[in-house]
Amino acid sequence: MKVSIITINYNNVDGLEKTIESVINQTHNDIEYLVIDGGSDDGSVEVIKQYSEKINYFVSEKDGGIYNAMNKGINKSTGDYLLFINSGDSLIDANILTEIMSENRMEDLIYGNLYLYDSEKQWIWNSPDKLTFRDFYNYTIPHPSTFIKRELFNKVGLYDEKLKIVSDWKFFLLALAKYSASYMHVNKVITAYSYDGISSREENFKKINAERYEVLRNEFNFLVDDYVELEKLSSEMKRIKNFLKIRKFFKSIFNK
């Protein structure tokens, strides 16, 4: 089973080299590797050229953002499945693609777990076996740990470049809810993800919610009222939790 791995990068030379090495050291013998660079000027292009014998396709030019770069990779890919490993992220070990692809799986989406880390901690995002709207309200499935059948992009379309943060969320939601894509959870950590990406930053949370609202309004309008109500309930629960924490703190002081 041929896997196309797409790495997008912009001025992240150190992260890019780590990502490239995690891909080219895979034991799986049918990998197509594509690197889409956004016109970096920090030495990234030199690193790409250094590994050019192991890279099937690369381009370095100004692009229209994250999803425009991903779409460029999709259009150039020829694999049975596509996997997006962006610069700074890495496959968990050299055998992981062999382990996943050795089962001759046929599902539209094959997703695993994600190892996340930042400067202070690390944790594992364990994906559910069965997906519900609750999973998409809270999160999604982990994009860097999801193998997407190439044919699915022909049905659903490419990533929506008008969205800046949640286009992969939209793609997965459409694939599952509108196009009845088949899926399978593989209970293995596939990718290590540096928790400093655009969707991980707290300052972008309002933008994420706004984009999700627009997706639901345009694609699943009957869910919008429920989504807004869930947002209100979620905010209220957070307020109550914060109040209880503060009360517990002051009780601990005055009971001493």
Side-chain angles (χ1 to χ4, degrees), residues 135-150:
D135 300 307
F136 283 84
Y137 171 73
N138 291 321
Y139 304 104
T140 177
I141 53 177
H143 198 213
S145 291
T146 301
F147 297 85
I148 304 169
K149 187 175 279 190
R150 180 66 178 76

Side-chain angles (χ1 to χ4, degrees), residues 219-233:
E219 301 291 344
F220 303 100
N221 191 51
F222 75 101
L223 292 176
V224 168
D225 290 342
D226 290 333
Y227 184 80
V228 171
E229 188 64 27
L230 284 169
E231 279 295 291
K232 290 178 181 178
L233 289 172

Side-chain angles (χ1 to χ4, degrees), residues 35 81 95 103 160 191 195 201 233 237 249:
V35 180
Y81 283 93
N95 296 314
E103 298 295 327
D160 185 346
T191 304
Y195 198 70
R201 300 172 194 158
L233 289 172
M237 287 299 297
F249 171 73

